[in-house]
Amino acid sequence: MSDQQLVRPVPISGFPEWTPEVRVVELHWLDTIRRTFESYGFCSVETPSVEALDVLMAKGETSQEVYTLRRLQADGDDTGDGRLGLHFDLTVPTARYVAQHFNELVFPFKRYQIQRVWRGERPQAGRFREFTQCDIDVINVDQVPLHFDAELPRIVHEILTGLDLPAWTININNRKVLQGFYEAQGITDPVGVIRIADKLDKIGYAGVERAFADELGLDKDQITACLDLAQIRGTDSSVVDAIDQLGGRSELLTEGLDELGFVLDSMSDLPSGSVLADLSVARGLDYYTGTVYECKFTDAPDYGSICAGGRYENLAGSYIRRNLPGIGISIGLTRIFAKLVADGQITTGASCPSDVLVVVPSDERRQSAVRTAAILRGRGLNTELYHQADKIGKQLRYAARKGIPYVWFPPFDEGGEHEVKDLANGTQTSADPHSWQRAAG
Amino acid sequence: MSDQQLVRPVPISGFPEWTPEVRVVELHWLDTIRRTFESYGFCSVETPSVEALDVLMAKGETSQEVYTLRRLQADGDDTGDGRLGLHFDLTVPTARYVAQHFNELVFPFKRYQIQRVWRGERPQAGRFREFTQCDIDVINVDQVPLHFDAELPRIVHEILTGLDLPAWTININNRKVLQGFYEAQGITDPVGVIRIADKLDKIGYAGVERAFADELGLDKDQITACLDLAQIRGTDSSVVDAIDQLGGRSELLTEGLDELGFVLDSMSDLPSGSVLADLSVARGLDYYTGTVYECKFTDAPDYGSICAGGRYENLAGSYIRRNLPGIGISIGLTRIFAKLVADGQITTGASCPSDVLVVVPSDERRQSAVRTAAILRGRGLNTELYHQADKIGKQLRYAARKGIPYVWFPPFDEGGEHEVKDLANGTQTSADPHSWQRAAG
């Protein structure tokens, strides 16, 4: 042991790290997300962690804090790494990727991207400086089929159903409905209405009503119509009828209602309550142009969005002179996962992926144990071989501490009898490594 | 289309990025590596991309160029992000992780870590500034069982066998054998011998001989013995006999030969030529203390190591006063993969994970297509539903361009007949979505 001064390792605020048993659950989340994305045929894309600063800033100064890179031993001859910044989302890299590889991609380009992103936030509780986003997008030349407006929330629905989560709802709206409806009411600043209506959660109906009058000069009928619209909720296309009954007609409104109706009809087979048309959902409307999504925990709105997204125009306009609209949803994995961990809402179990521990009762039986482990592994079972001949009690405790569900006793000789112990109930039975199945569930 | 100035996206030297069809192959590599690691029960660990600089530098100034982070809009009140650096390998983070979570881990701690690392290199062809490493290590308190010296190369063997690679060999040596043998020859600076012998590839036998005499003052017998040792190769424990015959005895040599023999005996069932004891393999010997590994392409030594590793002492000595030796192997995924891509050695196929494309011949058959796709997906087949009713020819071309192997024709009505076309041979047959199997291979 050296006498040198120790460097005491401490967690770095905003950079989450998990112990193995929590990581097992996070991996299950990541696997569920990836598997579902792929089951719909979306391809994987990864981009470098960095982009050139002019790419990151192509739309003007971003509101996100960007981390730039600097070589520790940078000298006068520094070759410009300071012009590289860690990406702060996956949208900018995707836009750049599609522009750069335009001629190599098949459109509609259906991709998912699961990667870490970084934001140069001041250290602060609950603020992540490194976190994983899981994005799925469809980008096409000139026009994206409405098919995807319905497919993306179905994919998210399938993912969330596969995770062990508190109750959640996918809220759907359509920006054309909002904008078309406001225009039909003779309102000249529909974006202003949307901006104010988006504060409903914070300032309530009275506050919104006041802002409509004071800030936008809306009259009483207009205010009533806007508030009536924002209160409409529904799980099927009956919401279209409800909006119709508020009156007002415009081409944009008709288009939006057709789209919203199509999406809701397409999802009518999903369990009741999991998808909800919510005409109060607005979401950053400088960006979105049609269908918008926002998914939240039903009973914990303070968690913020589990995921969000929608339709947008001209993704890569800063990099290429092609019209490339898209639609996408982003799952904020780390933010949600870390909060559930902190709140004790994540159930952990094993700290390793092993299905079986094969014990080594003595050096004489080691070869028999080696062979048994190889047979089980060959059948797709994750199998640990205990690392030395030792007392059985010690090996059983090792399995129990790691949460390995089965302990296997290899035979004394080649033709002998195998036994397997189920640690959940303590039963030990004879078994054939070539055909043994673990208990269901 | 806006008139703004375009930012032309260009590749950034040292930060690799793949098109979707290359990414499919990279994902297959990553999945093979992970699945094999897990089949032996190793758990997943991920650490933040950054470490505190004092953690990165705990062993003194590193020879690696480190990237530090700097907030783009950093002001006078900067809260010290400049003291954070991106990790340059996975060994330092693992040492810090084990020290920090010491009381939460089960030992021997068997973990794998697959993550990107960064090095602040000057831009230069073939130099990666961001790349993915795949590390597997076992860390234990005080002593690591010899079992793992044999298990780790077997895991690597299984991984490499599962990839479509040019011929490779896993070379194995043992530092105790080298050091013990040199000591038995009366050589006072065994590390010096190892340092020079390690240059055999570069300066040849004559150069090594000269350096032994000039730099270390070895006599003729000592030089002959050292060169004889370095020439020993063998696929089984007969190498132990060959070393024995060179003469010389020391406790360390005996210990090393026992260990080397155990490892080679344990791997005797593997295909001939894939594992080779090579007494010329040295590897950074300030670090390694026993078994060492180095895997290279048999016919392309200029590729450098596919993977390398070995036994080391006291991993986390900079952070905790516990003796924590370990053994590990690191696969340099990006370096090898990128070079194979550049050399046209990677066979690409599909650009997406889809097994089947379900076509939508008309809007009337869309519901039938939706139901069919759901059935196939439910059976674990990655299934794309074409995004709109369109000419069949166009949908077939879409499948062919993406490399989707099967195109499915849903029936006109619920009880009608399904057909599936195999794009590899053009045959189209009737099929039941509930039971259809894709052709083997």
Side-chain angles (χ1 to χ4, degrees):
Chain A
M1 215 76 47
S2 92
D3 288 341
Q4 69 172 114
Q5 197 68 31
L6 293 188
V7 174
R8 190 170 151 258
V10 290
I12 305 172
S13 167
F15 291 85
E17 173 171 276
W18 310 121
T19 52
E21 63 274 18
V22 177
R23 173 67 182 160
V24 166
V25 182
E26 190 190 35
L27 260 184
H28 169 66
W29 281 43
L30 287 162
D31 288 343
T32 302
I33 292 167
R34 173 185 164 191
R35 191 177 59 243
T36 311
F37 286 166
E38 293 193 344
S39 77
Y40 283 79
F42 284 69
C43 74
S44 168
V45 163
E46 284 202 351
T47 59
S49 300
V50 306
E51 299 288 340
L53 270 187
D54 59 351
V55 166
L56 289 176
M57 302 297 171
K59 297 204 169 183
E61 206 66 4
T62 169
S63 61
Q64 304 299 342
E65 280 278 9
V66 174
Y67 276 128
T68 60
L69 301 190
R70 190 183 159 79
R71 288 170 47 220
L72 184 61
Q73 284 133 26
D75 44 36
D77 184 34
D78 201 341
T79 35
D81 288 351
R83 304 312 293 168
L84 299 177
L86 292 170
H87 55 218
F88 53 81
D89 70 9
L90 300 177
T91 303
V92 170
T94 297
R96 194 266 311 147
Y97 183 93
V98 170
Q100 188 175 325
H101 301 285
F102 183 76
N103 293 317
E104 302 161 280
L105 304 179
V106 178
F107 290 91
F109 181 54
K110 300 164 63 173
R111 84 86 183 81
Y112 71 90
Q113 187 164 357
I114 300 176
Q115 272 187 263
R116 298 178 179 212
V117 306
W118 293 266
R119 294 187 184 172
E121 309 268 5
R122 306 271 168 83
Q124 191 180 326
R127 280 283 174 86
F128 292 102
R129 299 196 277 171
E130 173 174 52
F131 53 100
T132 298
Q133 289 284 114
C134 311
D135 282 21
I136 184 166
D137 287 85
V138 182
I139 293 129
N140 203 16
V141 180
D142 294 331
Q143 183 261 338
V144 176
L146 196 57
H147 165 81
F148 295 109
D149 297 58
E151 189 168 74
L152 291 194
R154 178 176 290 275
I155 292 172
V156 166
H157 188 281
E158 203 169 314
I159 288 168
L160 298 180
T161 304
L163 305 178
D164 180 26
L165 291 177
W168 44 267
T169 313
I170 300 175
N171 298 300
I172 298 187
N173 199 355
N174 189 301
R175 184 207 157 112
K176 290 178 187 169
V177 171
L178 298 181
Q179 195 154 346
F181 180 85
Y182 300 145
E183 283 172 10
Q185 308 301 322
I187 295 170
T188 51
D189 180 11
V191 174
V193 176
I194 288 164
R195 183 175 44 76
I196 291 169
D198 205 22
K199 298 183 189 162
L200 196 60
D201 275 359
K202 288 179 193 139
I203 61 177
Y205 282 98
V208 167
E209 205 171 334
R210 210 156 38 234
F212 279 161
D214 296 351
E215 295 178 31
L216 302 179
L218 302 196
D219 66 28
K220 197 158 178 298
D221 285 353
Q222 288 171 327
I223 292 175
T224 305
C226 291
L227 287 178
D228 284 350
L229 182 71
Q231 286 175 79
I232 290 179
R233 306 272 182 287
T235 57
D236 58 40
S237 54
S238 69
V239 295
V240 173
D241 302 331
I243 297 165
D244 259 342
Q245 283 164 25
L246 292 182
R249 285 287 170 277
S250 82
E251 210 176 306
L252 195 62
L253 176 59
T254 305
E255 204 178 308
L257 287 176
D258 282 352
E259 292 179 8
L260 186 60
F262 173 84
V263 172
L264 293 172
D265 279 344
S266 300
M267 307 190 74
S268 58
D269 61 309
L270 297 179
S272 170
S274 55
V275 178
L276 184 73
D278 180 341
L279 275 293
S280 75
V281 168
R283 298 214 60 78
L285 280 165
D286 295 350
Y287 190 66
Y288 293 115
T289 57
T291 304
V292 287
Y293 314 102
E294 183 172 68
C295 178
K296 291 187 171 185
F297 290 119
T298 317
D299 307 315
D302 59 308
Y303 263 65
S305 297
I306 302 169
C307 58
R311 253 180 189 262
Y312 46 82
E313 291 304 328
N314 207 10
L315 172 75
S318 302
Y319 316 111
I320 190 173
R321 294 209 194 279
R322 297 297 297 249
N323 182 23
L324 294 169
I327 184 165
I329 299 187
S330 177
I331 303 175
L333 182 131
T334 301
R335 210 170 49 75
I336 296 300
F337 185 75
K339 195 155 161 55
L340 289 170
V341 170
D343 292 352
Q345 298 268 331
I346 294 289
T347 307
T348 57
S351 66
C352 67
S354 310
D355 300 307
V356 179
L357 173 73
V358 176
V359 297
V360 181
S362 63
D363 279 324
E364 291 68 39
R365 277 162 82 181
R366 196 183 129 82
Q367 276 315 310
S368 166
V370 168
R371 277 193 302 273
T372 303
I375 294 166
L376 293 170
R377 245 178 241 128
R379 294 182 54 224
L381 292 155
N382 294 336
T383 306
E384 275 191 65
L385 178 64
Y386 197 73
H387 43 273
Q388 61 196 18
D390 215 328
K391 292 200 184 85
I392 293 297
K394 193 172 169 191
Q395 300 187 49
L396 283 169
R397 279 195 301 280
Y398 172 85
R401 285 187 66 202
K402 291 182 75 170
I404 303 173
Y406 295 95
V407 173
W408 196 284
F409 297 85
F412 283 93
D413 43 51
E414 189 110 22
E417 189 173 74
H418 294 258
E419 292 198 347
V420 61
K421 186 183 185 80
D422 180 342
L423 291 196
N425 58 26
T427 57
Q428 187 165 334
T429 51
S430 66
D432 179 349
H434 292 283
S435 59
W436 174 79
Q437 300 284 346
R438 50 180 302 181
Chain B
M1 214 77 44
S2 94
D3 288 339
Q4 70 173 111
Q5 196 69 30
L6 292 188
V7 173
R8 188 167 153 261
V10 291
I12 305 172
S13 168
F15 290 86
E17 172 170 276
W18 310 121
T19 52
E21 63 274 17
V22 177
R23 172 68 182 158
V24 166
V25 183
E26 189 189 37
L27 259 184
H28 169 66
W29 282 42
L30 287 162
D31 288 344
T32 301
I33 292 167
R34 173 184 164 191
R35 192 178 57 244
T36 311
F37 286 166
E38 293 193 344
S39 77
Y40 283 79
F42 284 69
C43 73
S44 167
V45 163
E46 284 202 350
T47 59
S49 300
V50 306
E51 299 287 342
L53 271 186
D54 59 352
V55 166
L56 289 176
M57 302 297 172
K59 296 202 171 189
E61 204 69 3
T62 170
S63 61
Q64 304 299 341
E65 281 280 8
V66 173
Y67 276 129
T68 60
L69 300 190
R70 192 183 156 82
R71 288 170 47 219
L72 183 62
Q73 284 134 25
D75 44 36
D77 184 34
D78 200 341
T79 34
D81 288 351
R83 304 311 294 169
L84 299 177
L86 293 170
H87 54 219
F88 53 83
D89 70 9
L90 301 176
T91 303
V92 170
T94 297
R96 194 267 310 148
Y97 183 93
V98 170
Q100 187 175 326
H101 301 286
F102 183 78
N103 293 318
E104 301 161 279
L105 304 178
V106 178
F107 290 91
F109 181 54
K110 301 164 62 172
R111 83 89 181 82
Y112 71 90
Q113 186 164 358
I114 301 176
Q115 272 187 262
R116 298 178 179 212
V117 305
W118 293 265
R119 292 187 187 174
E121 309 268 4
R122 306 271 170 83
Q124 190 181 327
R127 281 284 175 85
F128 292 103
R129 300 197 275 172
E130 174 173 52
F131 53 100
T132 298
Q133 289 285 114
C134 310
D135 282 21
I136 184 166
D137 287 85
V138 181
I139 293 130
N140 202 16
V141 180
D142 294 332
Q143 184 262 339
V144 176
L146 196 56
H147 164 82
F148 294 110
D149 296 59
E151 189 168 75
L152 292 194
R154 178 175 290 274
I155 292 172
V156 167
H157 188 282
E158 201 169 315
I159 288 168
L160 298 180
T161 303
L163 304 178
D164 180 25
L165 291 177
W168 44 266
T169 313
I170 300 175
N171 297 300
I172 299 188
N173 199 355
N174 189 301
R175 184 210 157 112
K176 289 178 188 169
V177 171
L178 297 182
Q179 195 154 347
F181 180 85
Y182 300 144
E183 283 172 8
Q185 306 301 322
I187 296 170
T188 51
D189 181 10
V191 173
V193 176
I194 288 164
R195 181 176 44 76
I196 291 170
D198 203 23
K199 296 183 191 161
L200 197 58
D201 276 358
K202 287 180 194 138
I203 62 178
Y205 281 99
V208 166
E209 205 173 334
R210 212 161 29 239
F212 280 160
D214 296 352
E215 295 179 32
L216 302 179
L218 302 195
D219 66 28
K220 199 159 176 298
D221 285 352
Q222 288 172 328
I223 292 174
T224 306
C226 291
L227 287 178
D228 285 349
L229 183 72
Q231 287 174 76
I232 289 179
R233 309 270 183 287
T235 57
D236 57 39
S237 54
S238 68
V239 296
V240 172
D241 301 332
I243 298 164
D244 259 341
Q245 284 166 25
L246 292 182
R249 287 287 172 277
S250 82
E251 209 176 307
L252 195 61
L253 176 58
T254 305
E255 204 178 308
L257 288 175
D258 282 351
E259 291 180 8
L260 185 60
F262 174 85
V263 171
L264 292 172
D265 281 343
S266 300
M267 307 189 75
S268 58
D269 60 310
L270 296 179
S272 170
S274 55
V275 177
L276 185 72
D278 180 339
L279 275 292
S280 76
V281 168
R283 298 214 62 76
L285 280 166
D286 295 352
Y287 190 67
Y288 293 116
T289 56
T291 304
V292 288
Y293 314 103
E294 183 172 68
C295 179
K296 291 186 171 184
F297 290 120
T298 317
D299 307 315
D302 60 308
Y303 263 65
S305 298
I306 302 169
C307 58
R311 252 179 190 262
Y312 44 82
E313 291 303 326
N314 207 9
L315 172 77
S318 302
Y319 316 113
I320 189 173
R321 293 207 193 281
R322 298 297 296 249
N323 182 23
L324 294 170
I327 184 166
I329 298 187
S330 177
I331 303 175
L333 183 131
T334 301
R335 210 169 49 76
I336 295 301
F337 184 76
K339 195 155 162 53
L340 289 171
V341 170
D343 290 351
Q345 297 269 332
I346 293 288
T347 307
T348 57
S351 65
C352 67
S354 309
D355 301 306
V356 179
L357 173 73
V358 177
V359 298
V360 181
S362 63
D363 279 324
E364 291 68 39
R365 276 161 83 181
R366 195 183 130 82
Q367 274 317 308
S368 165
V370 168
R371 277 193 302 272
T372 303
I375 293 166
L376 293 171
R377 245 176 243 130
R379 293 183 53 226
L381 292 156
N382 294 336
T383 305
E384 276 192 63
L385 178 64
Y386 197 74
H387 42 274
Q388 61 198 14
D390 214 327
K391 292 201 183 81
I392 293 297
K394 192 171 171 191
Q395 300 187 50
L396 283 168
R397 279 195 300 281
Y398 172 85
R401 287 188 66 203
K402 293 182 73 171
I404 303 173
Y406 296 95
V407 173
W408 196 284
F409 298 85
F412 283 93
D413 42 54
E414 190 110 22
E417 190 173 72
H418 294 259
E419 291 198 348
V420 63
K421 187 182 185 80
D422 179 342
L423 292 196
N425 59 24
T427 58
Q428 186 164 333
T429 51
S430 66
D432 179 348
H434 293 283
S435 59
W436 174 79
Q437 300 284 344
R438 51 181 302 179

